Amino acid sequence: QYSYYNKKNKTANLLTKDQLKNNSSQSGVDFDGSYLKNNSSNKYPLLEGTGDILDKSNLRRDEFSFNYTKKINNEFEFNLNGSYQKNTNDVTTKEATYANFGSLTNPFNYKNYYADNIGTFTDEKFKINPSLKYNYMTNSYLILGYDYKEQKSKRDFTNFMDMYKVYDLSSKKESNGIYIFNKTSIDKFEFLQGYRREWTKYNTTKNSHYYHRVKPIFLNNGYVDTGLKTDYIKKSMHNDSYEFAINYLYSDTGNIYTRFEESFRTPAPTEFQDKDGTDYILNDLKPETNQTLEIGIKDYLLGSFVSLNGFIGKTKNEIYYNEVYHGKEWYYGNFGKIERKGIELSLEQTFGKFVFFENLAYIDAKIKEDSKNSNLEGNQVPYTPKINANLGTLINFTDNFNSILSFNYKDKYYLDKANKYEAQSFITLDLSLNYVFNNGLKIYGGINNILNRDNYDQEGISNNEILYDPANGRTFYSGFTYIF
């Protein structure tokens, strides 16, 4: 299978609350300097630069995948899966900075202006996974497998805020894993066990050459040049994961199960890089480990499909991402210990041409331990809404034509570990229409956010103030797919 994807995008800055009230569709750029003039001690508030200040990106993705299956005999089956993906993203962003444009007659002519960041982000992922399946009883089997994964990431800037002559970051993550999975079926019981070990290596190199006009022109010709600087990260680690589950099929339509899992997540190579203001800094992330106990039941009761499960999970060194200012300042870190408790409920009822569905998820995620600040213990985990819900109806007008009306709700959540700043809830009412022809052609269309509610795709914090990225209002869309 081969797929190609291309997305060209322009993005405005996040808005302050005053900018949002004045004009929620504006770019967020302080053209006349009024915001800086009223909110900053900077005595050169006017931001100068080109008229096109939107951040731009051009993302291209190529992806190949393949699967080969060979049934050796009634007992043994060989599988081989592989994939390769390459993403190339050309980016141009604008950031406010200042420099000295002075001369001998006016040596202290500092100005604020918009500087360009021009770079290319490249990511490559390769994976191959051979496995052997042994069927030894009815609905019982054992799988032995190996997987190899390689991920390469590169960040090149030809110009970064008018201050770097050279900036590039090259990262490589290489993983080798072996695993075994067993399923044994005895009467109405299913017993599942799994184990996996992974060895991971990282190799990261960062080159930077800082060169910026920040001093009056008669000092060092007006420039600071620190020369080429190279930083390295080399890491290796191994991690283990386990799974144990019991499933009881107590009727033709119902089953009850319990499952325990200990898993891990290793950092992506790009997650070792933070951006602090105008500089990129390499961090020292650790892998996270998770322990989860889950109990659930599924059945068809009183004319409705019912799925209900509850879980409790504990995470050590959970990897988190804090985006301070809309992709222009961020950092990665590890929480000490996190505890999550939750329930998930799904219902579905069918009455003739009507299908009704209701889904609810409740998660209580708390910081149980923080080695750097004990005052954070007991707080909610940032960017984790407690409630996610959606309900709606599907109407099959004919065998070929249907519509779906859905109400979607995402609860408010905190933007920081101190639980001082809170993002608002996200609510939409959406409608879609679908018509499938008998020749493989499908046409579709719909309306998202019918109520035209003011939602936000993102909220962030900068200088102790919440900034907003307004989501789309009422939006109409249409499209088609053709399978042949």
Side-chain angles (χ1 to χ4, degrees), residues 206-251:
K206 170 192 168 188
N207 293 307
S208 58
H209 186 170
Y210 183 80
Y211 184 84
H212 190 35
R213 184 177 187 178
V214 293
K215 290 188 175 183
I217 196 168
F218 54 81
L219 295 175
N220 299 321
N221 293 320
Y223 290 92
V224 169
D225 187 346
T226 62
L228 182 65
K229 181 181 179 183
T230 302
D231 296 301
Y232 301 95
I233 287 182
K234 288 190 176 182
K235 286 177 174 285
S236 61
M237 60 185 71
H238 67 267
N239 294 278
D240 300 285
S241 61
Y242 311 87
E243 179 183 5
F244 305 95
I246 301 175
N247 186 26
Y248 175 51
L249 307 168
Y250 61 82
S251 71

Side-chain angles (χ1 to χ4, degrees), residues 12-48:
N13 288 348
L14 269 70
L15 304 179
T16 65
K17 182 169 288 188
D18 290 339
Q19 290 172 326
L20 193 68
K21 290 179 180 179
N22 181 50
N23 178 10
S24 62
S25 64
Q26 66 175 290
S27 66
V29 173
D30 188 30
F31 281 111
D32 61 3
S34 59
Y35 178 75
L36 283 175
K37 192 178 298 181
N38 296 327
N39 295 275
S40 172
S41 60
N42 193 328
K43 70 178 192 176
Y44 300 100
L46 184 61
L47 290 168
E48 299 180 353

